[in-house]
Amino acid sequence: VTETIKISQSLGALYSEITSICGFIPHSHEGKLMGLAAYGNINLDLFKGIASLKNDGYKLHPKWRLKIRNRFNKRKFKLEITQTEKDLAATTQFFLEEAIIRKTRKLKNDYQINNICLAGGTFLNCDTNTRIVNDLGFKNIFIQPASNDAGVSIGAAAETYNQKSNNPINKMKHIYLGPCYTDKKIKKLLDEAKINYKPYDENFIVQSLIDGKIIARFSGEMEGGPRALGNRSILANPFYKGMKDKINNQVKHREDWRPFAPSVLSEHCKDLFINYVESPFMLLTLKVNKLGKKYLSEAVHIDDTARIQSVSLDTNKEYYNLINAFYKATGCPGLLNTSFNYNEKPICCTPQQALQTFFSTGIDILILQNFVVVK
């Protein structure tokens, strides 16, 4: 241990406090603040006496939390978001990025390191991660995809395995570590509920995507961490005009300014993104080029960035094959991907939850392993 940061100097605590001030739920809606930041103007005067940047990091001033609460009126959840909240979000995001960049640069220089591993909830902030990748020149960067307390148990299990195994883990290639359900169990559930279904047909799914249908995919092992990575995802055509609004209005019922994400075949990512860096866990935001903006228009944020998931054949063969079939039919090597849930509910974990969400929303088609349910 080279340094310990007290909770009074926690950047995550600062970010959560501003999340609350802007009318969102702290420790839950920080992603909303990151998305809102793109609509605001940076003004560090807002943080005067609260927090300041230094050459080698940052400082949160005494009683910073109380000062925030005295200086800013907390937006009530149902009130319209104003420019004040947008500017506060932009300033907080900028401060977070700069503080971490300066702190990390000092560590890199002091210890002459070329590799870095990032973990903790703050590193679910994709924009900050991207700054680290682009600005600091590390040769290797790993970001733990379950970047919260869940990462502790994963790390402990991996460490124990490496100590006792003759074939140690060198790299986490995927995080499909959750529960999986057999076709036998799913068929039994569908039959008992008297729900009509048919066998999975990739051509039918691809054509449905082309036609603008909203498709939920419940297949294989559930993803660990907060990002849906294809196995518990809602999928759609990323260049179908109006698709973002359609999913928001008919399924997610969330703020219309929040972006969705694209899942893109790994070998085609460099064709759609500027300065592409591998991003299998949806933890980086990359700038799209002209072709990327064309093909992924409904999954690109207002600042021309996208929170990309690169999908490779060796980590999720079935999901890769579906995207690849869509690519062969349309020329677009990606799909719009958002988590299989709605209205603040957790991501669907069981087939029962998947069916409940399917019949409670405007999702058109549900893939349950090797079965398909159509409304």
Side-chain angles (χ1 to χ4, degrees):
V1 177
T2 60
E3 183 180 359
T4 300
I5 298 175
K6 295 181 179 179
I7 188 65
S8 62
Q9 293 295 305
S10 167
L11 289 168
L14 173 68
Y15 206 89
S16 291
E17 185 66 29
I18 301 299
T19 297
S20 177
I21 289 293
C22 288
F24 306 126
I25 301 174
H27 308 296
S28 178
H29 288 172
E30 280 72 14
K32 293 187 179 185
L33 195 74
M34 185 180 74
L36 186 62
Y39 293 85
N41 302 305
I42 298 166
N43 179 10
L44 285 177
D45 286 342
L46 294 173
F47 276 8
K48 189 173 183 180
I50 294 172
S52 55
L53 293 167
K54 304 189 299 180
N55 288 337
D56 59 353
Y58 67 96
K59 179 181 179 181
L60 304 186
H61 299 296
K63 299 182 179 179
W64 61 266
R65 197 186 299 270
L66 180 61
K67 292 175 182 177
I68 288 174
R69 294 175 183 180
N70 288 337
R71 182 172 301 176
F72 304 107
N73 294 321
K74 183 175 179 178
R75 180 183 73 91
K76 293 183 179 179
F77 183 72
K78 293 186 178 181
L79 291 183
E80 182 179 353
I81 293 172
T82 69
Q83 193 61 43
T84 298
E85 284 82 39
K86 295 175 183 178
D87 292 349
L88 191 53
T91 302
T92 305
Q93 179 64 35
F94 175 80
F95 186 90
L96 176 73
E97 292 178 20
E98 280 296 313
I100 289 179
I101 287 293
R102 295 178 188 205
K103 192 77 174 173
T104 308
R105 182 183 288 117
K106 183 178 186 303
L107 290 171
K108 184 176 188 291
N109 293 336
D110 286 352
Y111 296 97
Q112 295 297 300
I113 52 176
N114 289 313
N115 306 316
I116 188 169
C117 177
L118 307 173
T122 298
F123 293 107
L124 291 174
N125 191 291
C126 302
D127 292 345
T128 299
N129 296 341
T130 303
R131 284 285 308 277
I132 294 172
V133 169
N134 290 338
D135 293 6
L136 297 182
F138 286 103
K139 289 183 179 178
N140 297 294
I141 294 180
F142 174 75
I143 308 166
Q144 157 64 281
S147 289
N148 50 31
D149 290 347
V152 177
S153 56
I154 293 174
E159 176 65 16
T160 301
Y161 177 85
N162 279 1
Q163 289 178 1
K164 297 186 176 183
S165 173
N166 294 324
N167 184 27
I169 301 168
N170 293 317
K171 182 179 180 180
M172 180 184 282
K173 294 182 178 180
H174 70 82
I175 193 153
Y176 301 106
L177 303 174
C180 179
Y181 297 85
T182 64
D183 286 343
K184 182 179 179 180
K185 286 186 177 181
I186 291 175
K187 184 178 186 302
K188 183 174 184 290
L189 174 65
L190 293 170
D191 288 338
E192 288 177 348
K194 294 182 170 56
I195 295 172
N196 293 326
Y197 58 89
K198 56 185 179 180
Y200 177 78
D201 182 343
E202 190 173 81
N203 292 329
F204 169 74
I205 297 298
V206 168
Q207 188 58 53
S208 298
L209 288 164
I210 294 171
D211 294 340
K213 300 297 185 183
I214 301 172
I215 297 177
R217 184 173 188 268
F218 184 102
S219 184
E221 291 83 359
M222 185 177 181
E223 307 88 335
R227 305 283 195 250
L229 301 174
N231 285 4
R232 301 293 186 273
S233 290
I234 294 170
L235 307 175
N237 185 333
F239 60 86
Y240 191 95
K241 188 173 177 58
M243 181 54 71
K244 176 186 171 185
D245 292 337
K246 182 180 179 182
I247 295 175
N248 268 331
N249 294 333
Q250 297 183 17
V251 182
K252 302 293 280 192
H253 306 297
R254 65 180 200 173
E255 298 86 352
D256 59 6
W257 44 265
R258 292 172 62 192
F260 292 119
S263 294
V264 181
L265 299 177
S266 57
E267 65 269 28
H268 292 282
C269 289
K270 63 183 181 300
D271 300 326
L272 305 181
F273 294 91
I274 300 169
N275 298 325
Y276 167 67
V277 179
E278 183 182 20
S279 179
F281 302 124
M282 206 183 285
L283 290 172
L284 298 174
T285 49
L286 304 180
K287 286 272 187 182
V288 293
N289 58 23
K290 188 175 181 180
L291 187 63
K293 198 167 185 179
K294 172 187 175 183
Y295 276 137
L296 307 176
S297 56
E298 297 297 305
V300 175
H301 201 21
I302 190 174
D303 58 0
D304 288 341
T305 64
R307 189 182 65 190
I308 176 183
Q309 176 201 1
S310 50
V311 182
S312 58
L313 182 63
D314 62 339
T315 57
N316 195 332
K317 181 179 179 181
E318 290 76 16
Y319 190 38
Y320 177 96
N321 287 341
L322 174 58
I323 301 173
N324 193 43
F326 184 77
Y327 166 63
K328 290 178 179 178
T330 66
C332 172
L335 293 174
L336 183 153
N337 173 10
T338 186
S339 54
F340 188 4
N341 65 339
Y342 72 103
N343 196 27
E344 301 292 335
K345 300 290 185 182
I347 297 175
C348 294
C349 179
T350 68
Q352 291 88 342
Q353 291 170 351
L355 286 165
Q356 181 185 39
T357 301
F358 174 63
F359 286 115
S360 301
T361 66
I363 298 172
D364 298 300
I365 298 170
L366 171 62
I367 301 170
L368 275 175
Q369 293 288 102
N370 288 308
F371 303 100
V372 173
V373 182
V374 181
K375 284 181 181 170

